[in-house]
Amino acid sequence: MTTQVRGVQLARLLGQWHALPGRRRSPDYAALAGAVRGLLADGRLPLGVRLPAERELAEALRISRTTVTAAYRELRETGHLASRRGAGSWTMLPGTHRVASTGLWTPLDDRDMIDLGVAALSAPAQLVPAARAAAEDLPRYLGGAGYHPTGIIELREAVARGYTERGLPTSPEQIMVTSGTQHALDLVLRLALSPGGGVLVESPTYPNALAALAARRARITTHGLSDDGWDADLLLGSIRQTRPKLAYLIPEFHNPTGHLMAADLRERLVGAAHAAGTDLVVDESFVDLPLDGTPLPPPVAVFDRHSRVISIGGMSKPYWGGLRIGWVRASAPQVQRLAAARVGVDMASPVLDQLVAVHLLAQAPAIVTARRAQLAAQRDALVAALAERLPDWRVTVPRGGVTLWAELDGPISSALARAAEEVGVRLAPGPRFGLDGTLERFLRLPFTLPAAELVEAVGRLAAVRYDLDRAGRPQWREPSVIA
Ligand SMILES: Cc1ncc(COP(=O)(O)O)c(C=O)c1O
């Protein structure tokens, strides 16, 4: 079934398309086509959705139908739209592009691209020896069928030990191994959320979590993070008032802002969630990556007495995303229910990959210590380059994780991302991290690439930023007065 985007929805996503910086003197239809291409390129408008009829979009945008007709024609010519008379127009991938690992579109030939769209490190040196050792271990498993819906016991033990060492006593029966944290989230949502169920998320938040929630048809409300992170009264107040079925939060070095939730709010959060009948899904993807010796507060689940907290985490950030190993920590009965749900999805995770994970976790202190040092150095290089080349951007230096959230000197994030692509820098603009096309003043910058590449990327961004200005300051239209 094709999904359709309605005229008002597309108009909302397009926002101030007619006044985007960098527009120069292009006619309205070209600016509109460019803005639609931008939405496609940064993933806010998916592939294969039916666009509104020309008349409907013209009405929603309050422009002439001829302009929409010309914009759709241009999109067809550039390969972004397929139309059939009487049936409508669908978004599509131009032949010159492919879908990148981020889920974003990218030109086929992008070898010189500095990719700041992905916030993940390359593999550590210990990975190949761990894979060799795992292959040696494999014969121990070959006598069985190899299906372990909750994961192999060695890995569940290792993960459970990690929680216990963090002050949260955990048994292997409380762990289910998944194929990455994203898979863990998807499985938890299948179990805990019926279509139309209410979910509270932070704004900004991790875009692929929003995608998982959209797939479950969640009704999403947001808690806006400030410069200091969570506002305790607002967060607890919205849980009490809206009583969502579920809240998805990233309390450890939040993606994208890098914030760390304080211990007392963790405790109050669990109390408020229990009183409101809300389950908390706590994404601990970055818990291994405090920088500068920042002490970690207790895990949120420490305060849980009623099986309200489901923790999810994985190997992708401290170790390697290509491993595809994640997990859920919940009560033993919840884990059994998740395993039953999983049988209808992917049965179990690969045994060999789980053995690789066991060998990596056995070397956790050495690997993680090196990762933290590497990330701190790369973060400092990025912050220094931004201070030198883009001093008007406001940056809070994160005390952990892999990203920083820069406040730009104007609502230019999408325009900057489009222009940056031309000079070989891929960005994930601010609106990707929200629901409604806002966050144009913000940009997520990961510090997972080597320092020299980060510095080069900032240099290119500074040049592009200057060009946006030369193309003319954005002329924001006055909102029309309704009397
Ligand atoms: C907050 C958060 N959750 C989940 C994921 C996905 O992790 P995985 O690769 O383990 O599926 C990411 C990856 O960027 C993330 O930042």
Side-chain angles (χ1 to χ4, degrees):
M1 201 183 75
T2 318
T3 33
Q4 169 147 26
V5 53
R6 287 182 296 119
V8 283
Q9 289 172 314
L10 186 52
R12 203 163 49 234
L13 284 172
L14 285 165
Q16 299 281 342
W17 63 275
H18 43 73
L20 283 176
R23 177 180 164 180
R24 302 207 166 83
R25 282 196 194 82
S26 56
D28 276 356
Y29 80 87
L32 178 57
V36 172
R37 270 196 299 274
L39 289 176
L40 286 165
D42 70 27
R44 277 181 285 159
L45 192 58
L47 281 179
V49 293
R50 197 153 89 214
L51 291 193
E54 290 167 7
R55 184 196 304 275
E56 186 190 338
L57 184 58
E59 275 169 19
L61 293 174
R62 299 204 191 118
I63 55 175
S64 82
R65 182 169 168 184
T66 337
T67 304
V68 180
T69 306
Y72 278 18
R73 188 183 320 118
E74 179 172 310
L75 287 167
R76 272 192 296 277
E77 281 166 14
T78 54
H80 294 85
L81 205 61
S83 303
R84 225 177 40 235
R85 191 176 290 279
S89 300
W90 296 265
T91 55
M92 61 182 273
L93 186 70
T96 49
H97 286 60
R98 65 183 174 83
V99 178
S101 56
T102 44
L104 306 183
W105 297 14
T106 180
L108 278 174
D109 180 15
D110 63 351
R111 270 166 301 174
D112 296 328
M113 185 69 77
I114 302 179
D115 194 345
L116 299 183
V118 182
L121 292 160
S122 57
Q126 291 88 342
L127 196 110
V128 170
R132 289 209 180 93
E136 298 284 316
D137 284 348
L138 194 57
R140 282 197 278 115
Y141 283 86
L142 298 181
Y147 295 106
H148 303 267
T150 56
I152 63 170
I153 183 65
E154 292 165 78
L155 182 53
R156 285 189 289 131
E157 279 171 355
V159 174
R161 217 166 22 249
Y163 278 106
T164 304
E165 283 164 6
R166 280 172 56 208
L168 180 62
T170 301
S171 72
E173 289 70 39
Q174 290 178 267
I175 301 295
M176 168 157 144
V177 176
T178 60
S179 300
T181 316
Q182 184 70 20
H183 181 218
L185 175 61
D186 184 69
L187 285 173
V188 168
L189 295 181
R190 278 166 199 268
L191 195 74
L193 191 71
S194 19
V199 179
L200 179 83
V201 301
E202 292 128 342
S203 176
T205 188
Y206 175 53
N208 295 341
L210 290 176
L213 289 167
R216 305 301 308 159
R217 297 180 195 271
R219 204 166 26 82
I220 302 177
T221 50
T222 54
H223 168 69
L225 297 180
S226 70
D227 282 357
D228 305 322
W230 300 262
D231 179 306
D233 291 338
L234 285 182
L235 176 61
L236 304 183
S238 54
I239 289 179
R240 282 189 203 109
Q241 277 157 29
T242 60
R243 296 175 163 268
K245 176 73 191 73
L246 210 138
Y248 167 81
L249 302 169
I250 313 169
E252 276 93 15
F253 311 116
H254 173 264
N255 182 4
T257 63
H259 289 306
L260 177 65
M261 187 185 283
D264 61 336
L265 178 53
R266 291 169 186 240
E267 181 164 13
R268 292 173 66 199
L269 174 65
V270 175
H274 180 57
T278 299
D279 290 325
L280 293 176
V281 180
V282 175
D283 187 330
E284 302 182 320
S285 286
F286 302 96
V287 73
D288 289 322
L289 298 175
L291 306 179
D292 317 321
T294 300
L296 277 177
V300 173
V302 158
F303 304 104
D304 184 23
R305 307 272 172 275
H306 304 93
S307 302
R308 280 284 166 204
V309 178
I310 299 179
S311 311
I312 60 176
M315 308 276 292
S316 294
K317 300 303 161 176
Y319 301 89
W320 191 45
L323 202 52
R324 306 310 307 136
I325 293 289
W327 49 77
V328 180
R329 180 204 181 271
S331 69
Q334 283 171 319
V335 164
Q336 286 309 318
R337 287 204 293 280
L338 281 168
R342 176 179 201 170
V343 169
V345 181
D346 70 337
M347 311 281 280
S349 293
V351 171
L352 184 58
D353 301 11
Q354 294 182 70
L355 288 169
V356 178
V358 170
H359 282 281
L360 288 173
L361 287 178
Q363 304 169 70
I367 297 176
V368 165
T369 304
R371 293 306 228 190
R372 289 176 188 163
Q374 176 190 351
L375 284 166
Q378 288 169 189
R379 175 201 60 187
D380 293 346
L382 176 61
V383 170
L386 287 170
E388 188 191 330
R389 304 297 307 274
L390 288 157
D392 293 339
W393 290 9
R394 224 156 53 83
V395 168
T396 311
V397 179
R399 290 177 298 151
V402 302
T403 59
L404 62 80
W405 184 239
E407 183 173 354
L408 311 182
D409 52 335
I412 54 164
S413 198
S414 296
L416 186 74
R418 266 167 241 154
E421 188 94 16
E422 304 293 317
V423 294
V425 179
R426 173 151 317 119
L427 298 175
R432 285 267 297 156
F433 300 84
L435 273 182
D436 48 11
T438 56
L439 304 173
E440 275 291 1
R441 290 187 70 88
F442 296 90
L443 179 66
R444 182 188 77 171
L445 292 168
F447 36 92
T448 42
L449 291 176
E453 283 184 48
L454 295 172
V455 172
E456 169 65 25
V458 171
R460 292 186 201 177
L461 289 182
V464 163
R465 176 68 194 93
Y466 175 67
D467 279 352
L468 285 184
D469 270 349
R470 281 198 313 175
R473 279 241 155 242
Q475 293 148 18
W476 299 98
R477 287 191 185 169
E478 289 290 324
S480 50
V481 177
I482 301 174

